[in-house]
Amino acid sequence: TKIGRELEEDITIKKVEERLSNQLGRKGLCEKVQDNLLELASGHIGRDTLLILDLSDIRKKYAEKMEYLTVVRDGSENELGNGYSICEVVAAEIDGDKMVPLVNYLYSTIAPGFLSENREILDVIETVSGKIGEKGIWVMDRGGDRKHLFVPLLESGHRFLVRMVGSRNLVYGRNTVLANEIAKTCPCPYAETIVKIDDGNRKVYHLEFGFRVVSLPDRPEQLGMVVIRGFGKEPMMLLTTEPVMKNRKVLWRLVRAYMRRWAIEETIRFIKQSYDLEDVRVLGYRSLQNLMQLVLTAAYFASVVLDMKVKLRVMAGHILNAAKRVFGIPDFHYYAIADGLTNIFKRHPGRIVITAPDRANQLPLFPD
């Protein structure tokens, strides 16, 4: 309805809303647009690009009639509530500042065809890998520390870096030992100091790190266990397929790769807040999934396409100026781009005039 009002068409808002709703419910729209977006994004993925996977949710406190509404854990308020689960993937380089949104997949645990959260995660990984091949390193937080994920990833030859829970059983030497017991005795001969900004607060961490060579029970693959002390009382443990050795540069690269995962939390907040995702009121399940894909496409345009060509860089500059930020443009400028686009479109509402498409510069995301 909000979109329909902005279009200012010469028919009733009811008819506009009905048309948009019918189109949003199109079967196969989500899959087609996702496939085309990954095709475009594949050019931004290199051999060692980080493929950061995050499990999130959309909370709907007051909804009652949304299809397949189920119980989720609200991470921001640390409580259970009604909503939907989301599996998100963002690509990033260890040393770069650009984020490339790849997946924003919504699902319900009570929808027909749902098997398990593990299956949903693996399906997302295979969807991305089907377009980019063997490139990239999958990075996950402790929610990814699951045998039912590790084994398929190893069997498929995927590279990964996953933060572990202390209760994970690992084979070290010839013994099966808890991960936190291995971490307690792990020498950490290397040290670094970092500064992390949390909610505007500057925190300094003095880190020490080292490694052990381990394996999973009943699996032949040798894996690296990177141990980092300094983030809290308990050491942080990362399990990886990447080679580990007595080399500061090699180990610090892996530590930095995991810390890069923290940066996508801002990207996820940007997508949720700028597009007001938790205010979504679409009732149909397929429409919800299609809408999430369209939001991802808009986020991809803001964070990737606007930086690709000289003309678009100039356009991005005008958009940033249109944001009218009192305190200037922050380092994470995607919020300002979203505000600028909103201001520009509000100044120039009305019907979109369809002209012959310029196929050379068209973003080939949508099916005819």
Side-chain angles (χ1 to χ4, degrees):
T1 303
K2 290 180 180 178
I3 294 171
R5 292 194 183 101
E6 294 295 331
L7 292 176
E8 295 186 356
E9 296 194 15
D10 296 331
I11 57 177
T12 65
I13 186 65
K14 181 176 182 295
K15 291 297 183 182
V16 175
E17 187 274 333
E18 287 176 353
R19 186 187 78 239
L20 294 177
S21 294
N22 289 337
Q23 292 296 326
L24 192 60
R26 284 173 60 184
K27 186 176 181 180
L29 177 64
C30 174
E31 293 79 5
K32 182 64 175 179
V33 177
Q34 176 72 85
D35 186 67
N36 290 341
L37 187 142
L38 287 174
E39 188 77 40
L40 286 175
S42 62
H44 298 277
I45 311 299
R47 181 184 182 277
D48 296 325
T49 299
L50 306 178
L51 304 171
I52 303 168
L53 188 148
D54 188 77
L55 302 176
S56 182
D57 60 78
I58 286 182
R59 177 82 180 274
K60 299 300 297 179
K61 284 187 177 181
Y62 309 109
E64 296 179 355
K65 296 183 179 180
M66 297 177 76
E67 194 173 18
Y68 305 127
L69 195 66
T70 188
V71 176
V72 297
R73 174 165 291 282
D74 187 335
S76 59
E77 298 187 16
N78 196 28
E79 63 182 19
L80 298 177
N82 288 337
Y84 298 92
S85 299
I86 296 180
C87 183
E88 297 168 282
V89 180
V90 176
E93 303 296 336
I94 295 178
D95 296 313
D97 59 357
K98 184 170 70 174
M99 302 285 187
V100 182
L102 298 178
V103 175
N104 185 37
Y105 178 66
L106 175 145
Y107 66 92
S108 169
T109 57
I110 61 172
F114 175 82
L115 297 177
S116 68
E117 186 176 65
N118 293 332
R119 187 64 262 164
E120 297 291 343
I121 294 171
L122 290 171
D123 284 347
V124 164
I125 290 174
E126 293 308 316
T127 296
V128 175
S129 298
K131 285 296 180 182
I132 67 172
E134 298 179 356
K135 296 185 292 185
I137 304 170
W138 289 95
V139 180
M140 289 177 269
D141 202 3
R142 282 174 289 196
D145 182 2
R146 313 177 191 187
K147 180 181 177 181
H148 293 297
L149 294 181
F150 286 144
V151 172
L153 288 174
L154 289 169
E155 290 178 345
S156 300
H158 293 303
R159 301 156 68 196
F160 61 77
L161 176 70
V162 178
R163 184 176 176 181
M164 287 191 295
V165 295
S167 57
R168 162 66 54 198
N169 277 323
L170 297 170
V171 177
Y172 174 59
R174 296 184 177 180
N175 301 315
T176 300
V177 190
L178 290 177
N180 57 8
E181 294 298 322
I182 299 173
K184 288 177 182 177
T185 61
C186 177
C188 295
Y190 308 112
E192 293 283 351
T193 298
I194 67 166
V195 177
K196 184 185 178 189
I197 306 299
D198 261 339
D199 296 327
N201 299 317
R202 183 174 179 271
K203 294 185 180 181
V204 179
Y205 294 93
H206 302 286
L207 307 179
E208 297 177 347
F209 53 97
F211 76 97
R212 294 291 197 193
V213 176
V214 299
S215 62
L216 294 171
D218 304 319
R219 295 296 306 180
E221 299 90 350
Q222 282 197 336
L223 302 171
M225 175 180 171
V226 181
V227 178
I228 308 109
R229 299 193 178 104
F231 282 119
K233 292 182 179 180
E234 299 296 325
M236 179 185 290
M237 299 158 289
L238 307 176
L239 188 67
T240 182
T241 54
E242 296 299 284
V244 292
M245 61 186 73
K246 292 182 180 179
N247 183 297
R248 173 193 293 271
K249 185 176 179 180
V250 169
L251 296 180
W252 183 236
R253 176 180 171 276
L254 293 171
V255 177
R256 288 172 55 234
Y258 176 76
M259 291 191 296
R260 191 76 175 99
R261 198 203 73 81
W262 292 336
I264 76 143
E265 294 175 3
E266 186 68 28
T267 304
I268 293 169
R269 280 195 294 269
F270 156 69
I271 293 174
K272 278 190 173 182
Q273 293 175 14
S274 294
Y275 301 101
D276 209 4
L277 276 193
E278 298 210 333
D279 191 42
V280 63
R281 302 174 201 180
V282 178
L283 299 182
Y285 186 58
R286 181 188 297 161
S287 297
L288 279 167
Q289 291 182 314
N290 287 343
L291 188 60
M292 291 304 105
Q293 185 59 48
L294 297 180
V295 167
L296 177 73
T297 303
Y300 181 90
F301 177 78
S303 58
V304 180
V305 178
L306 284 178
D307 289 331
M308 282 176 60
K309 298 180 180 179
V310 174
K311 288 183 180 179
L312 289 174
R313 289 192 189 121
V314 174
M315 175 181 166
H318 289 303
I319 289 171
L320 290 172
N321 289 332
K324 296 183 179 179
R325 290 299 181 94
V326 176
F327 299 104
I329 306 301
D331 290 338
F332 190 85
H333 57 266
Y334 301 136
Y335 288 107
I337 288 179
D339 290 347
L341 287 170
T342 299
N343 289 338
I344 288 172
F345 291 142
K346 281 185 176 179
R347 291 178 201 165
H348 304 282
R351 180 181 300 177
I352 298 173
V353 178
I354 305 299
T355 58
D358 181 358
R359 295 293 181 183
N361 294 310
Q362 186 174 350
L363 200 62
L365 289 168
F366 303 101
D368 292 333

